[in-house]
Amino acid sequence: MSTLFRIILQRLLLGLLTLLIVSIVIFAAVNMLPGDFAEAVLGQGATEEAVTAIRRDLGLDQPPVTRYLEWLGGALQGDLGTSFAKANFASFVGADAGSGLDTVAAQIAPRFANTLFLAGVSAAIAVPVSLILGVLAALYRNTLFDKATNIFTLSAISSPEFFLAYILILFLAVLNPVLPSLSNIYQGMSFAERLDRTLLPALTLTLVVTAHMMRMTRAAIINLLASPYIEMARLKGLSPLRVIVVHALPNALAPIITVIALNLAYLITGVVVVEVVFVYPGIGQLFVDSVKIRDIPVVQASCLIFAGAYILLNLVADIMSILSNPRLRHPK
Amino acid sequence: MSAPLLKIRDLWIEGRSDETWNPIINGVNLDLHRGEVLGLIGESGAGKSTLGLAAMGFTRDGVRIRKGSVEFDGIELVKAPAATRRSLLGKRIAYVAQSAAASFNPAHRLIDQYAEAPVQHGVMGRKESQADAVELYRRLRLPDPEEIGFRYPHQVSGGQLQRAMTAMAMSSRPDLIIFDEPTTALDVTTQIEVLAAIRDIVEQFDTAAIYITHDLAVVAQMADRIKVLLRGDEVEEAETREMLADPKEEYTRSLWAVRAYKRPQKPLVPRGQTPLLRVDGVSASYGRTPVLHNVHFDIHEGRTVAVVGESGSGKSTAARCITGLLPPTEGTIEFMGEALPADYRRRSKDQLRQIQMIYQMADTALNPSKTVAQLIGRPVQFYSGLRGKALRARVDDLLEQIELEPETYRDRLPSELSGGQKQRVGIARALAAEPRFIICDEVTSALDQLVAEGILRLLANLQDKLGLSYMFITHDLATVRAIADEVVVMKEGEVVEQGAKDDMFRPPHHAYTDLLLSSVPEMDPDWLTNLLAERGVGNIGEAATDKM
C-alpha cells in the first residue's frame, strides 16, 4: 500500500507545483493586457493626476515582482484582494474609504457556486449518459445504433454552443414551453426552482461534452475485446452485456476517467457562451466583464480558480486511474 | 459403443485476411466419446486452435464456418442460435487457454472468476461454488487452497494460474473440456505439475477432452488417441501407442524425427587458454532486488555455451550484464582478456561490434515498417561505413548466408515473412556487425520444431564458417542437447552446475540439474505415470511450493 500512497503524494506535490507556475503565468499575462484600470474607468476625464492617484491607491505603481508576491501571499491566506470596480477611491471620498469595499472573494463566491451547480447538473446527466451510450455502442458495434449514436454526438460536438442553445430554446422553451429560456437564478430560490432554470443550459452542455466521453468509452472497451480474457469470458457462455460491463469495463476505466475529468474541467471553465445565452450568473460572465473593465484582481482570481479546477480534477482522475489498476491496489 | 459426445462432420472453416477468405480447416471429421481424451497436434498454422474452438461452436472474429456440422450431445452447434450455444458454453463445454496469465481477467479475484460460470448458468449458488473452488484447488494441489482464490491473477505464479484455470474449467462439471496448449508457456518442472493435475482431474470426473499441443511428448502422456493436422488437413489419426510406435504418414514421421538432431560436442579447450568471454564474479540487481549472485563462466572461441534454467533464474539478466545494458553491481566482464566497461555507453564502437544479440521474439525485435534490406543494412552502415553499391552487395551477401534468396526477400517487410524467416533476418542483423560473439536469447522457443531445427542448423553452419562463439540461453533441454558444447545450469541467480555437455547429460548430476533433466517429457506414453510413481506425489507438491 505504501507504493500507492507514495504515488498519490507525489502527484499532489506536482499538482501544487503546477499551480504555483500557473499563478506566475496568470499574473504575467494579466499584466501584459493593454490599457489599465485607471484609464479605463476615468475614460474621457483621465487627467494625469487622477490616473496617478488611482494607480497609487490600487498599488499599481509598485514593481510587478512586489505586486506578485503580495498577491500570492494574500491568495495563500485566502485573501484574493479587493475588486477595483467596487472600490471607493480614497483620493475621491476621503477618510471613510473602505466602507464600501467589496472583496474579490465576496464577488466571486456566489458566481462560482452557481457555476459549480450548473457543472454538477450537467455532469450528473452527461457522465451516466455517455457511459451508457458508450457501453451500448461497444455492445452493438458497427450496427445502425452505433452509427446513429456516433453521428448524433459528433454533430452535437461540432456545432457551436450558442447554436445548440438556441435550438434547445426553440424546441423546449418556445414551441413546447416546458422549460424557462432564461436562467436568471438568485439567492433564496428553492432547489427545485434552481434546477428547473438550470436544466436548459445543462442540457446544452451535455450535448457538448457527451461525444468525447462516449467515444472514449466505446474505443477503450473495443480495444480490449480482442484480449484473451474477454475471449475466455465469452467461452464461459456469458451474455454479451455481461462480458462488456463486468469483464471489459473495469479494465478500460483509466482512459475513460481521464477524459471525464477533462470534460468536467471544461464544464467549470469553458461555459461563457452558454452562460451568456441563458443569462446564467456564473463565473464565466463575471470573468468576461472583469476583463472588459480591466478589473485585474477579479481576473486573476478567476484564472487561478480555473487553473485550480483543472489541476484538481486531473489529479483526482490520475489517482482514480491508479486505483482502478488491481496491480497497484493489491501488490504482491 | 454409444453415440459420440462430440461429432464433427466435414467441417470447413475459413479466415479473412485483407479482402479474401482463406481456408483454415478443410473438411475435418472428428468423434469424441465420453471420458475420452483426443490429442490434436500439428505445427502453428495447422488450425488446431481454430478446430478446438469450433468444437465449442465458437469462431474468433474474422473467422467463419463455411460448411459442415458440429454436434455436441445431439445438439447441432453450427446453426444453433447464439443463446443456445451460450447455454452450453461454461456449463457443459469448457475451455483452458494457453496463457492463464492473459486469460484470467486482471480486475477480478480468482475465486470470483471460478464461480462466475456456475452462478450465471444456475448450476449452483455463489457460496456453494466458492466452497467447491477451495475443494478443487486442494485437489489440484495448489498451495494454500483456502486463501489462494482470494488473490488477483498477478499475485499468483504462472504454473499455479494454469492449475487455477483448469479448476475453473471444472467449475460447472462440464462433459467436455478443450485444452489449448495449456503447458506451452511453462517451465518443464512446472509443466509436470500441471500435466499431472489435468490428467488426474479429467480421470476423476470422467470428462472428455481435446488436448491441443505441438509437443508430441506431452500429447503422448495425455491422450488416448492422437490426430495430426497439417495446414487444415487431417494427416492421420490413431490410438496413442499405435501412432507413436508406427506412424503411417511421411509428415508424422518427420515430426517424430526432429528431436533426433544432435551436433557432436567439440573437443574441450586446453586449460590455461584465455577465454573469448569471461563472466567473472558478476552480481546484479534490478533496483534493490538482487537477481544475480557471483556468477562465473567462460565462453571459448568457436564454442557454444548453453545457459539453461527456469524463468526467473537470471539467464537473460546475465546476458544484459554482458551486453552492458545492465551494469553489474560487482564483478567484471572480460572480452579477449580485457575488462569491458560495465555500461555499454562507455564501450568503444569496436567493443560493441564484437558482441551482438538475437532475440526470442523476432516479431517485436524487427521494426515493422522497414524492409529486410534496411533492417540489415543499418548495422552494416553503422559499423563498416559502407554505402551505395558496396552496402547492397554486403546485404545480399548476408541474405545468402542466412539462406534467403536476396532477389525475393530484399524488399519485403517483416509482416511478409514467416516466423522462421524473421528469425533468420534477426540473425543476419547480428552478423552484419561482424561479431565474434553472439548471444542467442531463446531464439527457437517461439518457433515450431521443424523450423527451430532449421535455425539451429543454420547457427551451427555459421559457427563453423565464421568461427563464432554463442551464448545460447534456453529453457529447452532438447535444444541444449542439439547444439551445445558446454552447459551452465542456473537457478535463482546462481550457477548450480557447469561443464561439458556430454558430462552434463550423464549422471551423477546436481540435484537441480537432475530435476530439470528428468522433467523433460519423453515420447513414452508411460513416462509421466512412471515419473510420478518414482518421485511420489508429495514431491510434486514440494516442487510447486519451491517455485514461489
Side-chain angles (χ1 to χ4, degrees), chain A residues 1-5 7 229 250-251 254 319-332, chain B residues 99-110 113 151-158 161:
Chain A
M1 217 52 194
S2 67
T3 350
L4 191 58
F5 185 71
I7 294 175
Y229 58 81
N251 294 292
I319 292 171
M320 284 176 67
S321 300
I322 292 168
L323 286 178
S324 79
N325 183 344
R327 283 169 193 276
L328 288 164
R329 249 185 309 135
H330 307 276
K332 285 197 182 193
Chain B
S99 164
S103 294
F104 269 115
N105 192 323
H108 301 296
R109 295 181 302 194
L110 296 179
Q113 300 192 50
R151 297 198 207 152
Y152 284 82
H154 70 272
Q155 296 170 311
V156 178
S157 77
L161 269 186

Side-chain angles (χ1 to χ4, degrees), chain B residues 221-239:
Chain B
Q221 313 309 316
M222 307 304 288
D224 304 317
R225 269 187 304 141
I226 297 177
K227 186 194 272 295
V228 184
L229 288 181
L230 171 62
R231 276 180 241 112
D233 292 308
E234 178 178 330
V235 177
E236 60 178 316
E237 182 184 323
E239 299 292 320

Side-chain angles (χ1 to χ4, degrees), chain A residues 161-298:
Chain A
E161 291 164 29
F162 64 86
F163 178 70
L164 292 174
Y166 288 131
I167 297 231
L168 284 183
I169 290 177
L170 178 67
F171 283 106
L172 293 176
V174 180
L175 296 179
N176 313 291
V178 283
L179 291 171
S181 64
L182 290 184
S183 310
N184 52 338
I185 59 174
Y186 42 84
Q187 262 157 1
M189 259 181 161
S190 76
F191 179 78
E193 242 179 318
R194 260 169 181 260
L195 196 62
D196 184 48
R197 302 223 173 161
T198 312
L199 219 45
L200 216 42
L203 282 177
T204 313
L205 288 171
T206 300
L207 285 178
V208 175
V209 296
T210 299
H212 199 186
M213 294 191 280
M214 170 254 158
R215 284 170 63 79
M216 181 50 94
T217 307
R218 177 185 182 275
I221 288 175
I222 289 182
N223 214 1
L224 292 178
L225 290 185
S227 20
Y229 58 81
I230 296 297
E231 182 171 286
M232 192 67 198
R234 291 164 69 187
L235 289 173
K236 277 181 180 174
L238 307 177
S239 72
L241 184 65
R242 187 177 167 90
V243 170
I244 285 188
V245 175
V246 177
H247 287 273
L249 193 58
N251 294 292
L253 282 179
I256 299 174
I257 290 172
T258 309
V259 165
I260 290 180
L262 272 179
N263 281 287
L264 292 187
Y266 169 81
L267 286 179
I268 293 177
T269 60
V271 296
V272 181
V273 174
V274 174
E275 284 179 11
V276 171
V277 171
F278 291 99
V279 205
Y280 187 87
I283 196 171
Q285 270 208 54
L286 175 69
F287 177 66
V288 172
D289 292 344
S290 306
V291 171
K292 243 185 273 172
I293 59 165
R294 305 284 184 272
D295 192 347
I296 291 171
V298 176

Side-chain angles (χ1 to χ4, degrees), chain B residues 252-318:
Chain B
T252 316
R253 275 200 291 276
S254 77
L255 280 179
W256 266 229
V258 169
R259 291 182 164 248
Y261 176 61
K262 184 178 178 226
R263 199 165 188 241
Q265 178 190 319
K266 296 205 183 76
L268 283 179
V269 176
R271 279 182 183 279
Q273 188 182 321
T274 316
L276 181 74
L277 183 102
R278 165 164 282 173
V279 176
D280 192 8
V282 164
S283 301
S285 52
Y286 288 123
R288 266 185 234 141
T289 322
V291 248
L292 284 188
H293 312 280
N294 193 23
V295 169
H296 285 273
F297 59 85
D298 289 349
I299 297 177
H300 287 277
E301 186 90 55
R303 295 296 192 279
T304 302
V305 174
V307 179
V308 297
E310 299 174 50
S311 48
S313 60
K315 308 178 303 262
S316 295
T317 309

Side-chain angles (χ1 to χ4, degrees), chain B residues 502-514:
Chain B
D502 291 348
D503 298 341
M504 277 326 240
F505 282 100
R506 206 181 300 131
H509 317 284
H510 180 275
Y512 179 68
T513 314
D514 192 52

